[in-house]
Amino acid sequence: MDSLRVYLVTWNVATQSPEEDVTALLGLSNRSSKDKLPDLYFIGLQEVKSQPQNMLLDAFFDDPWSNTFRNVLAKHKYIKIKTVRLQGLVLSAYCLSHHLTHIRDLQTQFTKTGLGGMWGNKGAVTVRFNIYGCSVCVVNAHLAPHDHMLKERIADYNTIVSSQTFSVGETTQIFLHDYVFWIGDLNFRLADPNVLTGVEIKRLVACGELKSLLDKDQLRQAMALGSAFSEMTEQLPTFPPTYKFSLRNSTYDLKRRPSWTDRVLYFVHKNVYENITLQAEQLSYNSFPQYEQSDHKPVVSEFVIKVFSDYHDRMVEFLPVEDWYLDEMNSVFCRIGDDVKLSPWDWIGLYKEDFSSLDDYLCYVYVTTTPTWVEQNGGQTNQNRNTLKLTFPDSAARLPGRYQVVYVSHNPMSVLGISEPFQVYSPRLQSIDWPQS
């Protein structure tokens, strides 16, 4: 089997705008050229500003926080494959560019739990997909707050688990996936508020008595009782409580008792495949106290997961793309694999070279129900083995430069192929027939 590195971030940004460099948060500051980069990133944010005017813009554009993370990751050849948002809850998934054509059956879900399920200020957003034959599901949740609302937090968790369904093979529910990662501001507090006051918690943290505090952690107690998260595993945090801090410093604001609200948990279906044992090795679980613009500290965790090394899935192969010219209709040719079933909703998108998001297409054309097949060897034998021709309108590219095309299948979304970069040139000079004298 092969291995993939998965890097997860959870941060309640407290409606603040991005001000600090997130390079260190993404684990990219101290990595040498020899260090292996994560293959997948999942960035889970809570309390991203979600006023009506912001939500209207975010329906068409990435929010400032997503742009901040994306700009850093793009420098390292990551592509954003999906962002899903529910009011202030945002979850984005990225992969290294060479993994893009191995993303299969991508779907998202969300669950509202605020005001009895009527409001999305609390709840969860989820991304799932297959990669190299294994299924991955990541949940970003923001559960009910306050010391006295433990029952509501537990109810939120169970509502999310029971309500989210998917239409991909046997992975119809969260815990039917091979790998599940659950991140977010889960809002579990420390028990015995009359004994463990904010002042006492701060004193025990200063003395390094984290283990005694974690014995009072509501999340760990709920896991032990089987009432919530009992399916999952969490490495014991070795970092101080990540909530609640005064803004722009690292001093606890004792208007709320410090607690470990921000967590990363995981689940592995170890023995779902015959003669194969899946595994997730947790390499790190840390907070970043140097980030001070929120009353929460961000938490990250990095894993190594096992995937199939010899897994083959449906693919589309683009033939070398000949030079394009502006203001002309231009075409691409691709070979369709035997196992690819065409849908009229499949599409091929035109992208600039080194694009950083699947949402960045400049133009797309659908693969229609009556595609243009290129005859080979005097005729068509097996349609799936023939070469498909797709023609783009003359307005597809507006500027000269380097471009690529990507084949995306529909429902659920899979990236089946990507072309090598090709050149688009300025319009060809037209010959003029001058009148003869």
Side-chain angles (χ1 to χ4, degrees):
M1 299 191 77
D2 281 340
S3 297
L4 294 177
R5 285 183 178 244
V6 180
Y7 195 102
L8 301 115
V9 177
T10 178
W11 193 8
N12 184 320
V13 298
T15 72
Q16 302 297 305
S17 298
E19 301 172 359
E20 300 168 304
D21 184 359
V22 298
T23 304
L25 179 58
L26 294 171
L28 297 171
S29 295
N30 299 318
R31 286 185 191 259
S32 70
S33 58
K34 296 181 180 179
D35 291 334
K36 180 174 171 57
L37 288 170
D39 299 281
L40 300 168
Y41 272 94
F42 296 93
I43 315 296
L45 305 175
Q46 307 86 41
E47 292 193 20
V48 175
K49 188 176 292 185
S50 58
Q51 295 173 348
Q53 63 268 31
N54 299 106
M55 294 175 67
L56 180 61
L57 288 173
D58 294 341
F60 300 98
F61 306 100
D62 277 345
D63 62 274
W65 278 104
S66 295
N67 278 330
T68 296
F69 285 102
R70 175 181 162 185
N71 290 340
V72 173
L73 289 171
K75 299 174 185 177
H76 298 270
K77 306 297 184 183
Y78 288 93
I79 293 176
K80 191 191 78 171
I81 56 178
K82 194 66 178 178
T83 291
V84 56
R85 178 166 187 173
L86 173 65
Q87 290 185 210
L89 267 172
V90 180
L91 176 61
S92 296
Y94 298 80
C95 72
L96 282 171
S97 57
H98 66 271
H99 294 308
L100 184 62
T101 55
H102 298 276
I103 300 296
R104 296 289 181 271
D105 301 334
L106 188 148
Q107 287 189 334
T108 63
Q109 265 289 6
F110 67 88
T111 302
K112 300 177 182 179
T113 60
L115 296 178
M118 299 294 291
W119 191 241
N121 65 321
K122 296 293 184 291
V125 287
T126 303
V127 171
R128 67 87 54 214
F129 56 81
N130 289 13
I131 184 167
Y132 299 106
C134 290
S135 56
V136 178
C137 182
V138 180
V139 184
N140 174 31
H142 194 186
L143 307 185
H146 306 308
D147 284 332
H148 64 282
M149 295 184 69
L150 173 60
K151 291 182 179 179
E152 286 78 3
R153 284 187 278 282
I154 291 172
D156 286 353
Y157 168 80
N158 287 292
T159 295
I160 294 163
V161 170
S162 62
S163 67
Q164 293 201 359
T165 58
F166 306 91
S167 59
V168 181
E170 298 178 352
T171 56
T172 54
Q173 297 177 338
I174 290 173
F175 286 108
L176 294 178
H177 290 80
D178 297 331
Y179 298 101
V180 179
F181 299 96
W182 197 303
I183 63 178
D185 178 1
L186 307 185
N187 258 322
F188 286 91
R189 309 304 171 95
L190 296 173
D192 299 334
N194 295 326
V195 176
L196 278 179
T197 63
V199 172
E200 178 63 7
I201 293 171
K202 183 178 179 180
R203 185 189 70 79
L204 291 171
V205 170
C207 294
E209 297 291 335
L210 300 186
K211 176 64 169 62
S212 62
L213 285 173
L214 284 165
D215 289 341
K216 299 291 186 180
D217 176 59
Q218 290 179 342
L219 175 56
R220 303 191 74 81
Q221 291 177 350
M223 293 171 70
L225 291 172
S227 55
F229 293 96
S230 58
E231 303 91 339
M232 309 201 76
T233 299
E234 185 196 27
Q235 188 180 110
L236 193 69
T238 58
F239 47 87
T242 54
Y243 175 81
K244 170 181 173 55
F245 290 88
S246 300
L247 294 181
R248 290 171 176 76
N249 66 54
S250 292
T251 302
Y252 284 115
D253 178 357
L254 297 184
K255 293 177 183 177
R256 294 284 188 272
R257 295 189 310 138
S259 55
W260 284 273
T261 60
D262 311 285
R263 313 290 275 265
V264 176
L265 300 95
Y266 66 100
F267 166 85
V268 184
H269 241 135
K270 294 183 178 180
N271 299 311
V272 68
Y273 300 105
E274 187 176 356
N275 300 322
I276 294 291
T277 300
L278 298 183
Q279 179 183 352
E281 178 188 0
Q282 191 168 14
L283 303 179
S284 63
Y285 190 22
N286 302 311
S287 70
F288 280 76
Q290 65 266 38
Y291 289 90
E292 297 183 334
Q293 66 179 99
S294 169
D295 57 354
H296 290 251
K297 300 301 181 184
V299 171
V300 306
S301 188
E302 187 170 0
F303 293 81
V304 172
I305 64 173
K306 295 293 185 182
V307 294
F308 294 101
S309 56
D310 57 351
Y311 189 80
H312 174 77
D313 202 353
R314 57 199 188 279
M315 296 288 289
V316 169
E317 178 190 0
F318 282 97
L319 277 62
V321 181
E322 296 182 358
D323 295 337
W324 283 23
Y325 291 88
L326 298 180
D327 299 332
E328 296 184 18
M329 297 177 69
N330 296 282
S331 298
V332 297
F333 297 83
C334 55
R335 292 194 182 100
I336 306 300
D338 291 346
D339 52 355
V340 175
K341 294 182 179 180
L342 296 184
S343 162
W345 298 107
D346 290 357
W347 54 276
I348 296 179
L350 176 67
Y351 294 80
K352 288 191 173 182
E353 184 183 14
D354 296 328
F355 64 95
S356 60
S357 170
L358 278 178
D359 296 328
D360 283 351
Y361 54 84
L362 304 172
C363 173
Y364 62 88
V365 294
Y366 283 115
V367 178
T368 65
T369 53
T370 55
T372 302
W373 295 95
V374 179
E375 291 191 359
Q376 298 174 340
N377 300 323
Q380 298 175 359
T381 53
N382 183 334
Q383 181 168 288
N384 271 346
R385 291 179 182 169
N386 283 339
T387 301
L388 177 65
K389 177 182 179 181
L390 275 298
T391 300
F392 283 76
D394 58 9
S395 60
R398 302 312 304 158
L399 293 171
R402 301 276 289 174
Y403 293 81
Q404 293 176 275
V405 287
V406 178
Y407 189 109
V408 180
S409 70
H410 176 74
N411 195 27
M413 191 180 91
S414 300
V415 182
L416 302 190
I418 182 170
S419 75
E420 292 296 322
F422 59 92
Q423 185 69 36
V424 175
Y425 292 97
S426 299
R428 300 190 226 217
L429 292 176
Q430 301 293 323
S431 61
I432 301 175
D433 294 329
W434 296 101
Q436 296 182 356
S437 59

